[in-house]
Amino acid sequence: MEFQFLLPTKIVMEPGLRDRTGHHLSDLGLKNVLIVTDAGVKAAGLLNSVYASLEKSGIAFEEISDVKPNPRSEDINHAAEIYRGKGIDGLLAIGGGSAMDAAKAISVLLTHEGRVEDYEGASKLTHGVLPIVAIPTTSGTGSEVTFFSVITDTARHFKMSILDYRIGPVLALLDSHITATLPPSIAAATGMDALTHAIEAYTGRLSNPISDGLALHAIRLISKFLKPAVQESNNLEAREQMLVASLIAGMAFGNADIASVHCISEAIGGMYDTPHGVGNAIFLPFVFGHNRDADILRHAQIAYALGIDPTLPPVDAAEAAVDYLFQMSKDLGIPRFADVKGVREEDFQAIAEKSKANISDSSNAKEMTVESYRRIVAAAYNFEY
């Protein structure tokens, strides 16, 4: 057996932690940081205590507060043009995966020449980047502990990936209070995103013993706490446990990769600007069903972790898991693929081709072709709950 496991991030979890952001940044020696966030986080007032903490610690800051749900290459390149040479010594990403992906990409361009498109792929960096501190505001992406950045190349309408261990955040600050105000629809989509991370980490070809343990525990937590976190607005325990589940699912897929669910979700995200978690939730049951005979025992283990009857034979358990995933999406209000804005049947071939071109296609449990992607996309389009 051969494998590697890397976690370059210190993790601190504590209620109200963002009130002490300045203290943690001072410990890292940071003096002039660039905050990277989105308009929703800013409008919700989630940054106010962060500002106060930075000022108290004597840390200067600039701010980008208009990161889009699927961060775009043109915006990353523009940000680099603005902030190169301004003495920024670290980045503070506050938000969901989009803010963290944007911060990682900007950190690359503040330390390397060129445009973000120049760094697509694995290990293209020539040296280190500015340190990144991440404060997640959603319970789904796990980006606070991963060393990927997914950016929409606006010229190609394609989600490109930058992969390098050096862009992993050096510090993740998990404030369980921050997710208390998360709207139910976002809690649902990001929770399904975390579930997809865990399932693909466990079933994918790059899984390893450490990622396996993390993935299965994340699945157990999500099965227990996702619905209460979405449907019970005052259930703070469920929100906290989902933050933990998202974190450890991120640790799992950060080392075991994602697979074909993400390939399709990123394809439609690049084409239609579909929220990433929604795309994953739509296609997870279809890809799980397609893959399960590639390794029925692993798919059955996921079923048992989801809470499906452990006395069922593996084949029956894996089949029951497909139904479970469809029902979960329905219960959480995830839209059908046909209801996603902008989707057209004539685009199915392009979606399939972009999915196959994704860097994580080879990690899927079962070999995929353009035609198998197209069939899954068509099945999702014609599906009715």
Side-chain angles (χ1 to χ4, degrees), residues 72 163 178 212 243 254 283 319 344:
R72 301 175 184 180
L163 290 81
I178 208 168
D212 284 352
L243 194 59
F283 289 101
E319 184 176 351
R344 306 179 308 164

Side-chain angles (χ1 to χ4, degrees), residues 250-316:
M251 293 165 63
F253 91 85
N255 282 271
D257 202 9
I258 45 182
S260 289
V261 179
H262 275 77
C263 295
I264 304 172
S265 178
E266 290 177 5
I268 67 170
M271 293 174 68
Y272 309 123
D273 212 23
T274 307
H276 179 64
V278 171
N280 279 340
I282 289 170
F283 289 101
L284 177 59
F286 294 97
V287 175
F288 187 94
H290 176 81
N291 284 344
R292 68 183 188 272
D293 61 354
D295 192 331
I296 204 71
L297 290 178
R298 278 193 171 255
H299 285 77
Q301 287 297 327
I302 289 170
Y304 303 140
L306 288 169
I308 289 167
D309 185 354
T311 66
L312 283 178
V315 171
D316 295 337

Side-chain angles (χ1 to χ4, degrees), residues 174-323:
L174 275 67
D175 181 351
S176 55
H177 286 171
I178 208 168
T179 62
T181 58
L182 200 62
S185 61
I186 298 179
T190 56
M192 289 297 288
D193 189 18
L195 181 59
T196 306
H197 292 156
I199 289 176
E200 294 203 304
Y202 189 72
T203 59
R205 298 182 183 185
L206 299 181
S207 63
N208 65 68
I210 301 174
S211 63
D212 284 352
L214 293 166
L216 287 175
H217 186 51
I219 292 166
R220 295 185 193 104
L221 289 175
I222 294 166
S223 176
K224 181 176 181 180
F225 291 107
L226 177 53
K227 286 185 182 179
V230 173
Q231 297 169 353
E232 302 168 17
S233 59
N234 294 322
N235 193 328
L236 299 183
E237 180 193 11
R239 290 291 177 99
E240 182 175 76
Q241 290 298 321
M242 282 302 301
L243 194 59
V244 173
S246 171
L247 169 78
I248 62 176
M251 293 165 63
F253 91 85
N255 282 271
D257 202 9
I258 45 182
S260 289
V261 179
H262 275 77
C263 295
I264 304 172
S265 178
E266 290 177 5
I268 67 170
M271 293 174 68
Y272 309 123
D273 212 23
T274 307
H276 179 64
V278 171
N280 279 340
I282 289 170
F283 289 101
L284 177 59
F286 294 97
V287 175
F288 187 94
H290 176 81
N291 284 344
R292 68 183 188 272
D293 61 354
D295 192 331
I296 204 71
L297 290 178
R298 278 193 171 255
H299 285 77
Q301 287 297 327
I302 289 170
Y304 303 140
L306 288 169
I308 289 167
D309 185 354
T311 66
L312 283 178
V315 171
D316 295 337
E319 184 176 351
V322 177
D323 294 335

Side-chain angles (χ1 to χ4, degrees), residues 85-384:
K86 286 202 168 183
I88 300 295
D89 59 7
L91 288 91
L92 176 59
I94 308 174
S98 296
M100 290 184 268
D101 280 354
K104 293 171 184 177
I106 292 168
S107 187
V108 169
L109 294 190
L110 293 184
T111 50
H112 292 71
E113 295 181 352
R115 298 165 59 80
V116 70
E117 296 90 339
D118 300 332
Y119 299 96
E120 179 179 0
S123 303
K124 296 290 183 68
L125 307 187
T126 58
H127 50 270
V129 302
L130 297 178
I132 301 162
V133 176
I135 303 178
T137 61
T138 66
S139 300
T141 69
S143 296
E144 67 272 16
V145 288
T146 67
F147 26 96
F148 316 135
S149 174
V150 181
I151 304 296
T152 299
D153 181 336
T154 48
R156 293 183 291 161
H157 299 286
F158 178 77
K159 282 196 168 188
M160 52 166 275
S161 296
I162 302 170
L163 290 81
D164 195 295
Y165 74 93
R166 287 170 285 200
I167 66 172
V170 299
L171 177 64
L173 300 178
L174 275 67
D175 181 351
S176 55
H177 286 171
I178 208 168
T179 62
T181 58
L182 200 62
S185 61
I186 298 179
T190 56
M192 289 297 288
D193 189 18
L195 181 59
T196 306
H197 292 156
I199 289 176
E200 294 203 304
Y202 189 72
T203 59
R205 298 182 183 185
L206 299 181
S207 63
N208 65 68
I210 301 174
S211 63
D212 284 352
L214 293 166
L216 287 175
H217 186 51
I219 292 166
R220 295 185 193 104
L221 289 175
I222 294 166
S223 176
K224 181 176 181 180
F225 291 107
L226 177 53
K227 286 185 182 179
V230 173
Q231 297 169 353
E232 302 168 17
S233 59
N234 294 322
N235 193 328
L236 299 183
E237 180 193 11
R239 290 291 177 99
E240 182 175 76
Q241 290 298 321
M242 282 302 301
L243 194 59
V244 173
S246 171
L247 169 78
I248 62 176
M251 293 165 63
F253 91 85
N255 282 271
D257 202 9
I258 45 182
S260 289
V261 179
H262 275 77
C263 295
I264 304 172
S265 178
E266 290 177 5
I268 67 170
M271 293 174 68
Y272 309 123
D273 212 23
T274 307
H276 179 64
V278 171
N280 279 340
I282 289 170
F283 289 101
L284 177 59
F286 294 97
V287 175
F288 187 94
H290 176 81
N291 284 344
R292 68 183 188 272
D293 61 354
D295 192 331
I296 204 71
L297 290 178
R298 278 193 171 255
H299 285 77
Q301 287 297 327
I302 289 170
Y304 303 140
L306 288 169
I308 289 167
D309 185 354
T311 66
L312 283 178
V315 171
D316 295 337
E319 184 176 351
V322 177
D323 294 335
Y324 179 102
L325 295 172
F326 277 123
Q327 188 64 47
M328 177 172 276
S329 286
K330 180 179 180 181
D331 292 345
L332 295 175
I334 301 297
R336 296 167 55 249
F337 184 44
D339 296 328
V340 170
K341 183 179 179 181
V343 172
R344 306 179 308 164
E345 291 186 69
E346 51 263 44
D347 292 341
F348 290 178
Q349 184 68 19
I351 295 171
E353 291 171 358
K354 290 175 185 287
S355 299
K356 182 62 182 174
N358 191 288
I359 196 169
S360 294
D361 166 73
S362 61
S363 296
N364 195 56
K366 180 185 284 190
E367 182 74 25
M368 297 289 286
T369 65
V370 171
E371 178 57 24
S372 55
Y373 277 118
R374 195 198 63 77
R375 286 197 300 267
I376 287 173
V377 170
Y381 186 81
N382 292 308
F383 178 75
E384 301 252 2

